[in-house]
Amino acid sequence: MAEPDAKRTSIFAAEEIDAARDLRNTLLFVGILVVGLAAMILAASPNVMALQIPPLQLSLVALTAVLIAFGGIIALQSGLPVRPLSWTVLVAYTLIVSITVHYTGGPLTPVPALYLLVTVGASFLLGRRGATLIALLGVACYALILALEYTGVLPMIQIWRLSFSPRERGSLLIINWLALTIPTLVTAQLAGTLAERLKQTNLHLRESERLRDTLTHMVVHDLRNPLTGLLGWLDLLQSVTGPQMTESQRRLLDNARHSGHILLEMVGELLDISKMEAGKLALNLKPVDLCGLLEEGVATVRALAELERLTVTVEACAPQGQNIPCDSQLIGRVIVNLLSNAIKHTPPGGQIALKVQPHDDDTIRVSVTDTGEGIPPQYQQLIFEKFGQVQLPGQERRGTGLGLTFCKLAVEAHGGRIWVESQVGQGSTFSFTLPLARGEAAVRRET
């Protein structure tokens, strides 16, 4: 049960990441509002329009909002809990909005609508109950501002050079407060409910994905033993009765053995991919000669290449390709997978070239170039996903869609990256990089 528990833990970790992203977006959005506030301050210049807002006070408010945004982002990067940080930020912004509302004319402008924006942000960060509490805080702050302006404790900011006496328009202030309060509280309920449903749906999707992966891992793991036994009996059948078989019988037996080995290879790839996705596949890092690894890969696929009438050569191998710290078994499989993929998609008479060359100061690049059919741009990212394949009209599906996923995970486990450059009808170049020196971040240890 250790692996399902780990995956369940990863689901909650993913929720925390989503919440952190929502909070970061909220903090960045404050920048847009500050730009708008700066525009109002500029418009308050004696030579621009007729606004009479106090620029010094609003400049301090804008500066405070920016400092809170930067402070929140730094706190997120330092690993502080997202939910308490969200409460702190939203309460601070509610107070800042209240000060802004007062210094921009209060009931004389649409600025109080900023309470609605804070409420919407709270609905995604804190849920329906949290959004309701932030909304109540906002309307309470607005009510306090109106009350202080009505009693004369706070002077009314006459931003339009229009005479407006709060004492004489007390009923209008109440109507204005209600006009803000009702939409704000309704927004808290609707947006909060919607946000909670979206999060619940996302949680169900992740849980379904976890259960699917667990079931797949169990089924695939249980398939390996009977497949190994079946292949053993087929090998025994070939060694015992092979000489007495007819040509058609031998062909059928060879086909059965070949299909069994393909299925066993698929099972192995699925298990390895599952381990790498969970970070449980330990790397056996040793100094490796990539040039020799390329030659071994070419020798492995040479018979298949000759059958398809293809030429496979190692065109260039830089001296920096020696003594590269990597898992030779995994990287060897990556090279063979890329070669096999090139052979599948290169027509007879084509060429496949391998190269090892410096990529930058810290990494070495291995590339496999073919003269095949090429890959359309819309598929060039999809092919590295699990079961992702290029399906063009009139072409049959070839392969399982797992080989490139394995390559991607294996390379990234070493701290490198893999990509493809391709044009339809002109072939493809699959490249991956490996660090020249062993980095601690590149090592996935058994947990």
Side-chain angles (χ1 to χ4, degrees):
M1 295 298 294
E3 185 168 346
D5 290 341
K7 290 186 176 180
R8 188 176 288 109
T9 302
S10 68
I11 290 177
F12 293 115
E15 288 185 0
E16 188 76 4
I17 292 174
D18 289 343
R21 185 188 63 244
D22 291 340
L23 178 57
R24 186 178 294 106
N25 291 338
T26 300
L27 294 171
L28 293 176
F29 183 69
V30 171
I32 300 176
L33 296 180
V34 171
V35 170
L37 186 58
M40 292 185 65
I41 296 172
L42 178 63
S45 170
N47 299 323
V48 183
M49 300 177 62
L51 289 176
Q52 298 297 307
I53 59 178
L56 176 60
Q57 290 87 334
L58 284 177
S59 297
L60 293 175
V61 169
L63 178 61
T64 303
V66 171
L67 291 177
I68 291 175
F70 277 115
I73 293 176
I74 293 173
L76 277 175
Q77 293 177 343
S78 65
L80 290 181
V82 176
R83 192 169 181 83
L85 187 59
S86 298
W87 274 106
T88 303
V89 168
L90 289 170
V91 169
Y93 281 153
T94 301
L95 298 177
I96 287 176
V97 166
S98 301
I99 297 173
T100 304
V101 166
H102 168 66
Y103 282 114
T104 54
L108 300 179
T109 69
V111 176
L114 291 176
Y115 287 115
L116 290 171
L117 295 180
V118 176
T119 301
V120 172
S123 66
F124 285 94
L125 293 171
L126 305 174
R128 181 167 55 87
R129 184 174 300 178
T132 301
L133 292 176
I134 292 296
L136 289 173
L137 175 63
V139 298
C141 288
Y142 189 46
L144 178 62
I145 290 173
L146 293 179
L148 293 176
E149 290 178 345
Y150 178 78
T151 57
V153 175
L154 289 178
M156 186 75 184
I157 305 298
Q158 308 289 345
I159 66 168
W160 302 114
R161 296 178 180 173
L162 298 175
S163 176
F164 182 86
S165 173
R167 174 77 61 175
E168 297 175 359
R169 303 293 181 91
S171 59
L172 291 180
L173 297 182
I174 295 176
I175 294 174
N176 182 271
W177 179 79
L178 289 174
L180 174 72
T181 299
I182 294 174
T184 302
L185 294 178
V186 171
T187 298
Q189 294 298 310
L190 294 179
T193 301
L194 176 60
E196 288 182 348
R197 287 180 179 177
L198 289 175
K199 289 183 178 180
Q200 195 68 24
T201 301
N202 193 30
L203 179 62
H204 287 160
L205 288 174
R206 284 176 172 158
E207 180 68 16
S208 298
E209 184 177 355
R210 183 190 68 81
L211 292 174
R212 182 202 65 191
D213 290 343
T214 302
L215 179 61
T216 300
H217 184 270
M218 292 172 58
V219 171
V220 169
H221 188 272
D222 291 340
L223 276 175
R224 171 174 278 180
N225 291 335
L227 271 176
T228 304
L230 176 62
L231 287 172
W233 283 108
L234 289 176
D235 291 339
L236 180 62
L237 179 63
Q238 184 185 46
S239 62
V240 173
T241 64
Q244 290 80 31
M245 287 184 179
T246 64
E247 183 64 27
S248 60
Q249 289 172 336
R250 278 195 294 270
R251 189 182 307 113
L252 290 173
L253 181 58
D254 288 341
N255 287 339
R257 293 176 64 248
H258 179 67
S259 298
H261 282 291
I262 290 177
L263 189 55
L264 188 61
E265 183 180 345
M266 289 174 55
V267 170
E269 284 186 341
L270 276 172
L271 289 174
D272 287 343
I273 287 173
S274 178
K275 288 181 180 179
M276 282 189 282
E277 287 178 333
K280 292 181 176 292
L281 186 65
L283 300 183
N284 182 21
L285 296 180
K286 294 180 180 179
V288 174
D289 180 9
L290 288 182
C291 301
L293 212 56
L294 289 187
E295 295 290 354
E296 292 177 9
V298 172
T300 301
V301 301
R302 190 179 304 281
L304 180 59
E306 290 176 353
L307 186 64
E308 297 290 338
R309 292 183 284 123
L310 300 174
T311 302
V312 183
T313 57
V314 178
E315 284 192 350
C317 205
Q320 294 91 331
Q322 297 181 357
N323 297 322
I324 301 300
C326 67
D327 188 317
S328 59
Q329 184 178 3
L330 285 180
I331 298 302
R333 286 176 61 186
V334 169
I335 293 171
V336 170
N337 278 355
L338 294 179
L339 283 171
S340 300
N341 191 65
I343 291 172
K344 290 177 186 177
H345 299 284
T346 302
Q351 296 180 345
I352 300 172
L354 293 86
K355 293 181 181 179
V356 174
Q357 53 195 350
H359 184 65
D360 52 35
D361 293 338
D362 302 321
T363 59
I364 193 78
R365 173 178 172 178
V366 180
S367 59
V368 178
T369 302
D370 62 60
T371 56
E373 56 208 26
I375 303 171
Q378 66 269 25
Y379 289 102
Q380 291 182 14
Q381 293 299 322
L382 174 67
I383 56 176
F384 291 104
E385 298 178 5
K386 198 183 297 184
F387 305 112
Q389 291 180 300
V390 178
Q391 184 65 38
L392 299 178
Q395 290 185 349
E396 61 177 342
R397 295 177 67 91
R398 305 181 67 180
T400 62
L402 293 173
L404 290 178
T405 303
F406 171 83
C407 293
K408 181 176 184 292
L409 293 174
V411 169
E412 290 178 350
H414 284 78
R417 70 182 186 94
I418 187 170
W419 70 96
V420 62
E421 299 166 294
S422 181
Q423 291 186 1
V424 176
Q426 298 185 25
S428 306
T429 297
F430 283 85
S431 303
F432 67 89
T433 60
L434 293 174
L436 290 172
R438 176 174 178 173
E440 293 300 325
V443 182
R444 302 287 182 86
R445 299 190 181 276
E446 190 92 30
T447 57

